[in-house]
Amino acid sequence: MKRRAILTYMEKDCLRTEDFVFYIDERCLSDEYFQQSPNVQNLHWHDYFEMEIVLSGEGTHHFNDTVYDLHPGSAYIVTPIDFHSVAFDNSRKSKVIHIQFDTFTMSEAVSRLITTSQAPITVVFDKEELEYIKILTSKLLAEYKNDSSDRKIMIRALLEQLCILTLRKVEPMSNTGRPKARDETILQVVNYLNYNFRSKVSLRNVAMKFLMNPNYLGEKFFKTLGISFTTYVNDLRLNYSMRLLKNSELSIKQISEESGFSSVSYFIKLFSDKYGDAPQRMRKKI
């Protein structure tokens, strides 16, 4: 089965200030610009959050390692650690609401609901729910085009409501594989790592970010989770690298870099230790 494709980045065109990133439009996916080739999965990822709601049309959504059917009422939130592609049946009229935002666009409480969600954020709204969702997105579109001084406040309120309605429908996973932190500070650190592990995170710079002594953070992290800071970060990177290996044609060097490793040889060693084989040989098996 051919599952691999070149991953590409998407550019954002947002209402953006230092603490506010937001963009919304209604897209006709039968247009050539948005239509995916039926033979190529244009897998990509973002450094922001993306939400889409299908208004009309039928298609498929390749979301990480799973393929979902799309039809009116389908909705999903793609986070910076997900990759995906969308393909629609070009014989039907297909429209989606497309939204881009980041966690700073919303309150900390709602941002945490998204970033700590441990199930894939993909749902299906029924007809009655979809009608209400259309009202919310219509208001979001209007506010986005508005130039009033309070439009950011209204955008935030509408976006938060939309996200909460979506998250309420997400089925919880019975086994997430992620350790849970009870300590509030460590929970914040874990949440930060889960969405920034591809960048150059280290115990020292994360400790600085959270105004902590590195040694104290390291001890507290291990005591709370039973796993060292470095091991936790490497596990996040290795899990992500395996997903890229399965679903892309990126080189081993590219996978190493995209997963957050600064050394290819170190990546190969850790990968081999965890999965029992080198990445190149593992790719031939999957």
Side-chain angles (χ1 to χ4, degrees):
M1 175 176 18
K2 293 183 178 180
R3 293 176 292 178
R4 300 179 187 136
I6 300 299
L7 281 81
T8 56
Y9 288 101
M10 296 279 288
E11 297 295 330
K12 51 175 172 251
D13 180 18
C14 310
L15 165 64
R16 182 169 187 171
T17 63
E18 184 176 346
D19 62 347
F20 200 88
V21 174
F22 183 79
Y23 176 78
I24 182 171
D25 65 30
E26 182 178 300
R27 299 184 169 188
C28 180
L29 295 180
S30 59
D31 290 346
E32 183 179 353
Y33 180 78
F34 296 114
Q35 185 61 44
Q36 303 284 344
S37 163
N39 298 317
V40 178
Q41 291 286 357
N42 185 25
L43 293 172
H44 61 273
W45 65 90
H46 318 271
D47 61 355
Y48 51 88
F49 291 78
E50 177 182 87
M51 182 176 190
E52 290 187 325
I53 303 110
V54 180
L55 302 181
S56 63
E58 307 286 337
T60 56
H61 184 204
H62 187 140
F63 194 0
N64 296 332
D65 297 323
T66 306
V67 177
Y68 299 90
D69 291 329
L70 294 177
H71 47 79
S74 296
Y76 46 86
I77 298 175
V78 181
T79 77
I81 61 171
D82 298 314
F83 51 83
H84 76 135
S85 67
V86 179
F88 277 84
D89 180 354
N90 60 10
S91 67
R92 304 188 183 194
K93 187 176 181 181
S94 302
K95 285 188 177 181
V96 302
I97 294 293
H98 173 88
I99 303 171
Q100 300 170 5
F101 61 96
D102 70 9
T103 54
F104 296 105
T105 309
M106 300 177 292
S107 66
E108 183 179 348
V110 177
S111 295
R112 182 170 296 184
L113 286 176
I114 295 174
T115 57
T116 58
S117 177
Q118 296 168 339
I121 308 178
T122 178
V123 304
V124 179
F125 293 110
D126 62 32
K127 290 184 178 180
E128 183 177 345
E129 291 170 330
L130 183 57
E131 288 306 310
Y132 184 64
I133 295 299
K134 288 179 180 178
I135 293 173
L136 289 178
T137 55
S138 177
K139 290 181 178 179
L140 270 171
L141 274 165
E143 290 297 330
Y144 181 71
K145 297 174 182 178
N146 193 355
D147 61 358
S148 64
S149 60
D150 59 358
R151 72 169 179 158
K152 289 183 183 179
I153 298 173
M154 183 61 78
I155 286 174
R156 172 173 287 181
L158 293 167
L159 179 62
E160 288 187 345
Q161 185 176 176
L162 188 59
C163 289
I164 291 171
L165 289 172
T166 303
L167 290 166
R168 282 182 174 179
K169 292 182 70 70
V170 176
E171 291 291 334
M173 294 178 69
S174 58
N175 182 15
T176 65
R178 287 183 182 177
K180 295 181 179 179
R182 296 180 181 178
D183 183 277
E184 179 64 24
T185 302
I186 298 302
L187 178 60
Q188 292 177 14
V189 171
V190 166
N191 191 44
Y192 176 80
L193 293 176
N194 287 345
Y195 285 88
N196 292 277
F197 65 85
R198 293 187 301 170
S199 60
K200 295 181 179 180
V201 295
S202 68
L203 181 61
R204 180 175 295 278
N205 62 35
V206 172
M208 289 178 61
K209 177 178 178 61
F210 288 90
L211 305 178
M212 300 174 70
N213 177 277
N215 291 333
Y216 177 73
L217 173 58
E219 293 174 2
K220 193 176 183 68
F221 195 96
F222 184 83
K223 183 178 180 180
T224 304
L225 298 180
I227 185 173
S228 72
F229 179 95
T230 300
T231 300
Y232 185 82
V233 172
N234 284 338
D235 278 348
L236 289 173
R237 290 172 171 171
L238 289 170
N239 290 337
Y240 191 77
S241 72
M242 177 59 87
R243 288 161 55 192
L244 291 182
L245 195 71
K246 289 179 179 179
N247 293 280
S248 80
E249 292 287 2
L250 294 177
S251 69
I252 302 304
K253 182 176 185 296
Q254 288 173 314
I255 289 175
S256 172
E257 292 172 349
E258 293 297 343
S259 300
F261 291 100
S262 57
S263 165
V264 179
S265 59
Y266 183 57
F267 160 64
I268 293 173
K269 178 184 183 303
L270 291 180
F271 188 98
S272 301
D273 289 344
K274 181 178 177 67
Y275 296 111
D277 213 340
Q280 195 63 50
R281 289 194 295 269
M282 181 65 73
R283 169 170 271 172
K284 295 177 181 179
K285 297 179 181 179
I286 55 181

